[in-house]
Amino acid sequence: MADPQNQKWPDQLWVVRHGQSAGNVARDAAEAAGVPVIDIADRDMDVPLSALGVDQACALGRWVGSLAPEARPNVFLCSPYIRARQTMQHVIEAGRLSLEDVSTVVDERLREKEFGLLDRLTHRGIRERFPDLFEQRRHVGKFYFRPPGGESWCDVILRLRSLLDTVTREYRRERVMVIAHQVIVNCMRYLIERLDETQVLAIDRQGDVPNCGVTLYGFDAAAGRNGKLKLQKANFVVPLEVSGTPVTAEPDVPAAAKP
């Protein structure tokens, strides 16, 4: 059993994907129409929640507010992208959480995976405009493929290693909710659960992370030398289902096709 004084992890860690965005809707329309470019004028980081995304974030917030005070998150770490920041705001407001009782931190290391040259292109657009890159991505696989000017999953994982160093240094024994993006959720799972490429891609193939889906870890003092985080729920959507809010799981890439 670990000594509580040596605990380096939060007591609980929620990793949450933002609510449905206007970009998700635009991407679906572009894919359905078979056009190469997604019709959206905003920068990816400026794309807001859709009306349904607001409802999803509020439903999650009401669920958070229904938890016992000692079981609610008291630290929020959030991507700087507008859709993630709006999700955090609605969770806090709908949960009636006092800003005196919670800390909120916007951290650029939680930003969406960067798509570089493939920004705003659909699957068809990538295949038609950059056939060599399309073939390279197919050959190398999404874990290692880095589009020109963009990031691979490995690049995202590298910045998340730094983020987790901050979490273990500054938020030990706290209750932390991370609000970010689909690739962030899966890459956080890769790190916390100590997965390998095959395992994390198998999780990815099971389906897209639901909007406002919750992956929850709890600290287990009996695991390992000094305890560790143990997965309790993955892609948990009961807060949405109970409220009757539609569950959506479009790829979290409003400005590029899912790699």
Side-chain angles (χ1 to χ4, degrees), residues 134-152:
F134 185 86
E135 177 58 27
Q136 183 187 18
R137 185 180 67 175
R138 187 198 63 78
H139 175 69
V140 173
K142 68 168 63 178
F143 193 76
Y144 291 106
F145 174 73
R146 179 191 293 134
E151 293 180 301
S152 68

Side-chain angles (χ1 to χ4, degrees), residues 131-229:
D132 291 344
L133 287 178
F134 185 86
E135 177 58 27
Q136 183 187 18
R137 185 180 67 175
R138 187 198 63 78
H139 175 69
V140 173
K142 68 168 63 178
F143 193 76
Y144 291 106
F145 174 73
R146 179 191 293 134
E151 293 180 301
S152 68
W153 277 38
C154 292
D155 295 321
V156 175
I157 287 167
L158 181 61
R159 53 177 156 96
L160 291 179
R161 289 188 188 279
S162 169
L163 179 95
L164 287 178
D165 285 345
T166 300
V167 168
T168 57
R169 183 178 67 249
E170 299 186 12
Y171 304 115
R172 56 190 297 268
R173 304 176 73 177
E174 303 283 5
R175 303 180 304 277
V176 180
M177 177 171 282
V178 173
I179 299 179
H181 309 272
Q182 172 162 268
V183 173
I184 297 296
V185 174
N186 285 333
C187 289
M188 289 281 279
R189 293 195 62 179
Y190 171 87
L191 289 170
I192 296 170
E193 298 171 41
R194 300 183 180 183
L195 305 176
D196 60 24
E197 176 192 4
T198 300
Q199 291 170 319
V200 73
L201 292 184
I203 289 172
D204 182 67
R205 283 193 298 271
Q206 291 173 6
D208 295 307
V209 176
N211 293 109
C212 284
V214 178
T215 294
L216 171 62
Y217 297 91
F219 181 73
D220 183 350
R225 180 177 299 178
N226 292 308
K228 61 178 64 173
L229 293 178

